[in-house]
Amino acid sequence: AQSVTQLDSHVSVSEGTPVLLRCNYSSSYSPSLFWYVQHPNKGLQLLLKYTSAATLVKGINGFEAEFKKSETSFHLTKPSAHMSDAAEYFCVVKGGSNYKLTFGKGTLLTVNP
Amino acid sequence: DAGITQSPRHKVTETGTPVTLRCHQTENHRYMYWYRQDPGHGLRLIHYSYGVKDTDKGEVSDGYSVSRSKTEDFLLTLESATSSQTSVYFCAISAGVSEKLFFGSGTQLSVL
């Protein structure tokens, strides 16, 4: 069994300030973890992916995430928010070798000027 | 962008009517998926396909059927649409089960 919890449904930051989007997971297997971003009226786009090669994963557009097994967390961060980062972000867990992905309920990021 | 086309982009229909949504890919990927997205639920898998004529159910498959007669096309059918099926439907593809998903732009379906 696997599950993912995004701890904040909405995060609001000012442009130029750091971003932190929190994600906790559970999995019976060594998990693969993903962050996807969805801009308004668009499909989802992969930001980054963890598959056990390195605990700190760098993604596109300056985002990164750190896998912490002891805390079962995979939080997404960015040092300085841009207006274009305003979107909904989904944390996703995949356990084992099957197809099944479990999506979090999403965190809406608002960036204020 | 990955070559994924969903049609139609928007559809309004009445309760009890059949509806078919189409997903077409030009990437020759083996795996294709149908998700629905609803506020507060994230994305939930309806059905997926791991090859031509090979499909399986996801977590919310009741009321939906799928078909995949060609690698490039994956059809989602609502045999008798209900208001609870009002949602945004996304098709996704991947080269393998551990590979990243590429998503289409979505179909907004309203069942009145």
Side-chain angles (χ1 to χ4, degrees), chain A residues 46-97:
Chain A
L46 181 69
L47 274 180
L48 50 81
K49 172 183 176 182
Y50 166 77
T51 55
S52 79
T55 57
L56 183 62
V57 182
K58 294 188 183 298
I60 62 172
N61 300 334
F63 284 95
E64 62 181 37
E66 186 171 8
F67 173 72
K68 292 187 176 180
K69 186 175 181 179
S70 61
E71 299 177 10
T72 61
S73 69
F74 190 57
H75 301 334
L76 182 70
T77 60
K78 183 174 180 178
S80 175
H82 295 165
M83 296 297 291
S84 60
D85 295 327
E88 190 158 22
Y89 292 79
F90 293 93
C91 182
V92 183
V93 63
K94 175 184 173 303
S97 60

Side-chain angles (χ1 to χ4, degrees), chain B residues 30-85:
Chain B
R30 178 180 176 188
Y31 294 85
M32 299 186 75
Y33 311 80
W34 277 107
Y35 287 89
R36 60 177 290 174
Q37 183 177 28
D38 303 289
H41 288 277
L43 272 74
R44 293 178 291 175
L45 182 66
I46 305 171
H47 282 278
Y48 82 107
S49 170
Y50 47 96
V52 174
K53 298 186 179 179
D54 292 323
T55 65
D56 204 353
K57 296 179 179 180
E59 58 186 300
V60 290
S61 59
D62 287 348
Y64 301 95
S65 62
V66 290
S67 66
R68 191 169 179 198
S69 58
K70 299 185 290 185
T71 298
E72 57 266 35
D73 289 326
F74 192 34
L75 304 181
L76 177 70
T77 297
L78 291 66
E79 300 291 347
S80 177
T82 67
S83 58
S84 64
Q85 294 176 311

